Amino acid sequence: MNEVSDTARFSTMEEPNIVEIRRIIQKRASITGYAFAFPATLLLAVIILLPIAIVIFLSATDYTLGALNWSFVGLTNYEKLLSDAVFWRSIKNTFLYVVIVVPGSVGLAFLLALLVHERVHTKRLYEIIFFLPVTGTLVAMAIVWQFLLHSRVGPVNLLLLENGFERIGFFTDPNLAMISLAMIGIWQLIGFNLILFLAGLAAIPKDIYDAAALDGVDGGIDKLARITWPLLGPTTMFVTITTSITAFQVFDTVAVLTKGGPRGSTDVLLYQAYLEGFQYFEIGYAACLTLVFLTFILLLSLVQVRFFDKRVHY
Amino acid sequence: MIDSTISLSKIVKKFDATPVLRNVDLNIESGEFLTLVGPSGCGKSTLLRIIAGLEMQDTGSVFIGGRSVDHLRPKQRDVAMVFQSYALYPHMTVAENITMPLLMQRMSFAQRFPVMGRWVPGSQHIQKNIRKEVETVAEHLHIEKLLERKPGQLSGGQRQRVALGRAMVRRPLAFLMDEPLSNLDARLRVKMRTELAELHQRLGTTFIYVTHDQVEAMTMSKRIAVMMDGEIVQLGTPDEVYNDPQDIRVAQFIGSPPINILPGEVNSAGNLSLFGVECRYRINGSNQKNVKIGVRPEDLQISEFKVGLIERGGLRGWLRRLENLGNEYIAHIDMDCDDGHWQIAVRFPPEELNGIGQPGAAVNIFLNEAKIFVFSETGDRLSGEAMLQSAVEKAS
Ligand SMILES: Nc1ncnc2c1ncn2[C@@H]1O[C@H](COP(=O)(O)OP(=O)(O)O)[C@@H](O)[C@H]1O
Ligand SMILES: [Mg+2]
């Protein structure tokens, strides 16, 4: 075969060849792609989607833990739920907790962050101190709070008595118990929010404050209202939503300190689900409660996702 | 005419124990465009921030418009600053950004109070006037169409204009600009250079323009202050700074490609020699033995190597690399002598190419003694004079 015909053949073959090769490569690439994505997808399905599907399935049954017979009951569990005064009370209590804890822990953390941010040498020290409650196990911490606020032997009450005040039943007064738990919730969440706000503050370029000082924005209130607060907007949104989600999940302190009492005044959604599922073994009904809980969390997550998708990040 | 002079008197600034500004004295005339140029970290920004009141000097005084401003806060000093990062308020529209200085200046705390402020007497009227002025400034800068956008939606050049607008709208006594063009691409930078110069002409206010770019410094102003290690080492016209540098650091900083620094020797009679070849140059009243000779690439002449030329004062080197810049050539030459290896650059027009171009080929270098600068070992300029006609003329 001489050179000329060789090249000639090559040039006629060239085009279909390349198209063909491209197709094969593309096909191979997509197979490889799916192969790589497969383990992660499998994990996602097994760890997250499957359990949720099971909960949804269970919520439509009358299954009780350990029972041999169970049957589909359709929406019966939900009907029962809607007419259950205990359920509505737990919803009310949960919201009360969230409504106190979210503004409290976000607002206080914001103010503390402004103060701590100004510190030069002691900044790290304050960060560590305020972060301690976050690292401590809440159950263990709750026992300390139980002692501190105990209605008879608690130092707080002894101090009140000594100074001529009445005892306060922090965990025994139905009007106070939820507020006491909320205070502990705030105490526990502040550190984490503080760290997030401090990160937000550190991300504001110093130049902006310099430009502001030249423009006349140098008073504390002006600086806060015109620069710092708006620039911390995205951080505040994030902190508020994550705090809401955490507050919604209140359980440990209730379980350790009040067991939903006194007179059901601290009976929250997750504690109800726990009681139904693990004390009364009403798995179907507990699954129903869990789904209500998941719906709230999902809504909050959606707000967060939408907000951060739409909002232009400065 | 409003007095917008700026005077600095013996400004000293240390960060911790590190001196950043050492005894800076500087007088800027009313309406002058002064460029402050120096390598990164020499203290230019710090000096500007001290003038603006963003940083406090350790000792010394700042005078703006003839009065001492040391006790005044930044907003009271009546100067505007343009930052390298622009420092626009990212959460505000362009209009709000430009409005900010006027808002803070003209409205009382109650009047500018968010939402409620609009019902405070007088606030509507002031707002309307401010809006008009903001629009005028925006038109001047050709950003009137961008007023409702946020800085994040603007290009670098547009942000730059907004930053200028925010500075202009107050009609300050002086503008302080800290490397305002360094974040722009090369083409836009050249365009903005001209625009800034025109802006200065139109406004007639004092500009202090900080840059580390010597080309910007040379092209933009009538007077340049060259700063090194926290000191102003030379203050003069671009011509003086280029053609009569008083310090070796100034000579090395200004000019591209940089000036060639070569080792010289001075004999007891004051005669200078380079690489053992005597030059027609005499140092006036100095007992230095070893000196440094500075010669700009365009003040050297290059030709093909001929043995005869060495006798007539030429130096021998080897061509390492030739750069063709279109309107000129830059030749990089290796020089070897007893005390080591030296590399020098020669700049010449295409007409003088004459067969030069083979890397590794030997070439002759001639010094134009009338154009050399001699510095002491510590970098101070030594006075001296070229004698008779220069070697360059002789060679040609
Ligand atoms: N706030 C500060 N704290 C400590 N050192 C600083 C501070 N600001 C500037 N410096 C130092 O001062 C020197 C001069 O800085 P600067 O004025 O920004 O230089 P330039 O603007 O000429 O590049 C640098 O060495 C820098 O590290
Ligand atoms: Mg700087």
Side-chain angles (χ1 to χ4, degrees):
Chain A
M1 198 180 290
N2 65 33
E3 258 179 60
V4 181
S5 70
D6 203 18
T7 9
R9 198 194 57 174
F10 183 72
S11 64
T12 53
M13 291 291 285
E14 190 178 38
E15 266 187 30
N17 246 351
I18 282 183
V19 171
E20 178 72 3
I21 288 169
R22 253 193 213 140
R23 231 192 50 214
I24 292 170
I25 288 177
Q26 254 163 22
K27 202 167 151 198
R28 261 190 214 155
S30 72
I31 290 172
T32 318
Y34 284 120
F36 271 114
F38 178 72
T41 317
L42 186 72
L43 278 176
L44 193 73
V46 169
I47 295 175
I48 297 173
L49 300 179
L50 192 63
I52 292 180
I54 292 175
V55 169
I56 294 175
F57 173 77
L58 284 174
S59 76
T61 68
D62 65 353
Y63 179 69
T64 57
L65 197 64
L68 297 175
N69 298 318
W70 57 271
S71 56
F72 269 114
V73 294
L75 295 177
T76 317
N77 279 332
Y78 292 91
E79 280 163 19
K80 190 174 145 206
L81 189 76
L82 290 177
S83 57
D84 184 355
V86 173
F87 165 71
W88 287 111
R89 190 181 64 192
S90 72
I91 291 275
K92 200 197 90 201
N93 286 337
T94 308
F95 271 91
L96 178 64
Y97 182 84
V98 171
V99 161
I100 300 173
V101 167
V102 172
S105 64
V106 174
L108 281 175
F110 180 74
L111 291 179
L112 276 174
L114 291 179
L115 295 175
V116 172
H117 187 62
E118 300 283 311
R119 303 289 95 208
V120 181
H121 302 295
T122 47
K123 192 173 164 186
R124 286 297 296 163
L125 182 70
Y126 283 112
E127 281 177 16
I128 291 169
I129 290 175
F130 284 112
F131 202 69
L132 278 177
V134 184
T135 56
T137 317
L138 192 53
V139 173
M141 293 292 170
I143 290 164
V144 177
W145 280 106
Q146 185 175 36
F147 167 67
L148 281 176
L149 300 179
H150 195 274
S151 54
R152 275 190 309 280
V153 300
V156 175
N157 266 320
L158 293 181
L159 198 76
L160 284 173
L161 271 184
E162 206 125 299
N163 290 292
F165 294 97
E166 298 258 315
R167 285 178 191 281
I168 297 177
F170 289 105
F171 299 122
T172 49
D173 183 341
N175 295 321
L176 274 184
M178 198 74 230
I179 295 173
S180 302
L181 291 184
M183 292 305 142
I184 298 172
I186 291 176
W187 168 84
Q188 208 245 338
L189 280 170
I190 274 186
F192 192 64
N193 293 349
L194 175 80
I195 299 293
L196 291 176
F197 276 122
L198 281 176
L201 282 171
I204 301 179
K206 214 185 144 290
D207 272 1
I208 295 204
Y209 287 108
D210 287 342
L214 280 156
D215 286 350
V217 189
D218 57 358
I221 294 178
D222 276 315
K223 238 173 19 186
L224 184 65
R226 293 180 192 279
I227 315 285
T228 312
W229 174 250
L231 285 182
L232 280 183
T235 311
T236 311
M237 190 69 196
F238 178 75
V239 170
T240 305
I241 289 170
T242 49
T243 306
S244 304
I245 292 175
T246 317
F248 237 96
Q249 299 170 339
V250 56
F251 174 78
D252 323 27
T253 43
V254 174
V256 175
L257 293 175
T258 62
K259 308 240 184 311
R263 275 183 272 138
S265 64
T266 59
D267 192 4
V268 294
L269 197 52
L270 269 194
Y271 192 67
Q272 259 304 307
Y274 160 76
L275 282 185
E276 291 291 345
F278 297 96
Q279 299 294 315
Y280 315 146
F281 304 126
E282 293 286 347
I283 297 297
Y285 194 60
C288 224
L289 284 163
T290 306
L291 275 181
V292 173
F293 168 76
L294 281 179
T295 310
F296 281 120
I297 300 290
L298 185 71
L299 285 178
L300 283 169
S301 307
L302 282 181
V303 171
Q304 176 161 3
V305 167
R306 260 187 79 81
F307 177 82
F308 283 98
D309 270 356
K310 250 174 50 183
R311 181 90 173 221
V312 194
H313 273 260
Y314 312 133
Chain B
M1 167 113 193
I2 306 162
D3 179 5
S4 58
T5 54
I6 296 178
S7 300
L8 305 177
S9 157
K10 300 200 170 27
I11 301 286
V12 173
K13 176 72 184 174
K14 289 187 177 127
F15 283 116
D16 299 322
T18 325
V20 172
L21 296 174
R22 312 157 195 255
N23 224 13
V24 174
D25 281 304
L26 186 61
N27 289 302
I28 301 150
E29 285 161 33
S30 222
E32 182 176 0
F33 191 127
L34 180 102
T35 304
L36 191 59
V37 68
S40 284
C42 73
K44 306 179 298 288
S45 297
T46 307
L47 189 63
L48 217 54
R49 293 168 56 81
I50 285 174
I51 298 173
L54 294 170
E55 204 86 64
M56 201 58 209
Q57 68 270 30
D58 295 341
T59 58
S61 299
V62 179
F63 299 88
I64 298 176
R67 59 182 183 147
S68 166
V69 294
D70 296 330
H71 58 290
L72 294 181
R73 303 167 79 168
K75 66 173 175 188
Q76 298 167 313
R77 297 192 177 194
D78 206 9
V79 295
M81 192 155 166
V82 177
F83 296 84
Q84 180 174 4
S85 62
Y86 313 135
L88 299 175
Y89 308 121
H91 55 295
M92 298 183 190
T93 62
V94 168
E96 287 166 336
N97 263 282
I98 302 179
T99 302
M100 186 61 97
L102 296 184
L103 186 83
M104 299 306 293
Q105 209 172 41
R106 298 193 191 159
M107 300 182 86
S108 67
F109 186 77
Q111 283 174 329
R112 63 174 189 252
F113 202 82
V115 191
M116 251 106 84
R118 75 170 66 189
W119 290 291
V120 177
S123 81
Q124 299 269 5
H125 181 68
I126 303 174
Q127 284 274 12
K128 220 190 280 164
N129 285 344
I130 291 180
R131 180 76 199 181
K132 238 180 268 162
E133 285 174 51
V134 168
E135 278 167 8
T136 312
V137 166
E139 270 165 40
H140 273 307
L141 294 166
H142 310 295
I143 50 172
E144 67 272 18
K145 294 217 175 63
L146 308 175
L147 282 175
E148 300 315 318
R149 296 225 200 135
K150 296 247 174 94
Q153 300 163 293
L154 303 179
S155 71
Q158 290 168 330
R159 282 180 215 184
Q160 170 71 65
R161 283 163 200 271
V162 177
L164 275 175
R166 186 176 62 179
M168 276 166 64
V169 77
R170 281 164 59 195
R171 301 167 198 266
L173 277 183
F175 286 88
L176 310 176
M177 307 202 170
D178 194 356
E179 315 210 8
L181 305 186
S182 56
N183 284 342
L184 302 180
D185 62 71
R187 189 183 290 268
L188 199 53
R189 197 149 51 200
V190 173
K191 184 161 167 258
M192 285 304 290
R193 240 158 44 194
T194 322
E195 279 190 33
L196 280 181
E198 283 169 6
L199 185 71
H200 169 250
Q201 262 172 7
R202 205 177 69 222
L203 299 174
T205 38
T206 308
F207 274 49
I208 302 183
Y209 185 95
V210 163
T211 178
H212 68 266
D213 180 345
Q214 43 111 1
V215 180
E216 256 174 42
M218 296 296 282
T219 52
M220 289 187 72
S221 62
K222 294 212 180 66
R223 245 177 13 138
I224 300 178
V226 187
M227 207 167 159
M228 299 277 166
D229 301 329
E231 282 174 301
I232 293 182
V233 282
Q234 192 167 356
L235 179 65
T237 62
D239 190 48
E240 283 165 356
V241 169
Y242 191 81
N243 292 318
D244 194 15
Q246 294 306 310
D247 189 295
I248 197 166
R249 291 170 296 174
V250 177
Q252 283 175 309
F253 186 70
I254 305 284
S256 170
I259 194 166
N260 300 300
I261 301 289
L262 301 169
E265 276 174 25
V266 183
N267 68 14
S268 52
N271 290 325
L272 179 71
S273 55
L274 167 63
F275 296 136
V277 180
E278 192 151 318
C279 307
R280 296 167 181 279
Y281 194 92
R282 187 158 50 212
I283 305 293
N284 296 334
S286 169
N287 52 7
Q288 300 273 340
K289 193 173 170 318
N290 294 314
V291 295
K292 292 173 178 168
I293 302 174
V295 54
R296 300 234 176 252
E298 62 271 26
D299 296 328
L300 287 167
Q301 205 177 25
I302 186 170
S303 68
E304 263 186 297
F305 182 75
K306 293 197 190 84
V307 180
L309 291 178
I310 290 290
E311 268 100 71
R312 289 160 64 184
L315 299 166
R316 187 164 64 161
W318 286 267
L319 184 69
R320 172 191 280 256
R321 197 157 52 88
L322 190 65
E323 289 172 19
N324 182 354
L325 303 183
N327 60 343
E328 62 185 19
Y329 281 86
I330 313 273
H332 298 270
I333 314 286
D334 287 323
M335 309 282 285
D336 285 305
C337 68
D338 304 338
D339 40 334
H341 174 89
W342 300 84
Q343 222 189 84
I344 60 177
V346 182
R347 187 211 302 266
F348 56 93
E351 305 84 71
E352 292 173 22
L353 195 55
N354 297 333
I356 302 164
Q358 203 53 252
V363 290
N364 276 115
I365 300 292
F366 288 95
L367 205 60
N368 182 352
E369 279 101 336
K371 293 285 191 74
I372 65 173
F373 315 120
V374 183
F375 301 97
S376 72
E377 295 238 87
T378 53
D380 299 318
R381 178 81 179 275
L382 301 175
S383 73
E385 63 210 284
M387 297 175 300
L388 302 169
Q389 61 191 138
S390 74
V392 178
E393 283 155 341
K394 239 173 77 176
S396 49

